[in-house]
Amino acid sequence: MDDSALPFIVLAAVFLLLAAMLCALGVRRFVLRRTLGTVDASISMASGPWRMGVCRYQDTELEWFNLLSLSPVPRHRFTRSSLELLGRRAPTESERTRVQADVVVVELKYLSETVRFAMDFSAYAGLASWLEAGPVIGIGTWR
């Protein structure tokens, strides 16, 4: 093998690595979305940047997975009993370029921190129902 073939081998290896990573991202997203109780939702923590991802409802937690990550662990976990729904609104002009089309921005309060999710209206209805149907914590208390 001569030295002129080395750049082509390196370029082919980088291309194969990139293709494998894209396939792994696609498989991960497919597996996440197959699970019941998952919706596409962007997140913004306390006026931070918007990040695309997938939310998953559990019995006592709302989990959010980063879309561009291979990690099987959720990036954020929100305890159901500590979430408070503040309301929903249309995206502002500056937010429209950062979130998906035809979404509502849902504002939640979690342990004195504001969390915003951008999701379609049917996902918002599911989130509101999930929060309202929270389990009883103690005798005579709801949520």
Side-chain angles (χ1 to χ4, degrees):
M1 177 166 75
D2 59 14
D3 290 337
S4 64
L6 187 62
F8 295 111
I9 293 172
V10 170
L11 188 60
V14 168
F15 179 73
L16 286 174
L17 184 64
L18 182 63
M21 192 167 127
L22 287 174
C23 287
L25 282 172
V27 167
R28 179 180 173 268
R29 185 171 190 285
F30 177 75
V31 168
L32 277 177
R33 289 292 288 149
R34 266 187 64 187
T35 308
L36 289 176
T38 58
V39 294
D40 290 330
S42 296
I43 191 172
S44 174
M45 302 288 290
S47 300
W50 285 100
R51 294 193 170 106
M52 291 176 42
V54 175
C55 279
R56 180 170 65 188
Y57 303 110
Q58 297 293 329
D59 290 338
T60 59
E61 289 182 326
L62 176 67
E63 300 175 335
W64 184 82
F65 295 86
N66 193 355
L67 187 65
L68 299 176
S69 171
L70 293 176
S71 173
V73 179
R75 172 112 179 186
H76 297 288
R77 289 179 191 252
F78 304 100
T79 306
R80 184 182 201 166
S81 60
S82 300
L83 278 170
E84 180 183 345
L85 182 62
L86 300 176
R88 66 177 165 89
R89 61 177 173 79
T92 63
E93 254 336 284
S94 63
E95 289 174 332
R96 285 192 183 145
T97 60
R98 296 183 178 103
V99 296
Q100 303 92 331
D102 300 326
V103 296
V104 294
V105 175
V106 181
E107 295 187 3
L108 300 165
K109 186 176 182 180
Y110 181 70
L111 302 175
S112 72
E113 183 178 2
T114 302
V115 180
R116 296 179 297 164
F117 286 102
M119 55 181 59
D120 64 8
F121 186 79
S122 61
Y124 161 72
L127 175 66
S129 297
W130 180 78
L131 286 172
E132 289 176 8
V136 175
I137 292 174
I139 298 173
T141 60
W142 180 253
R143 285 189 24 103

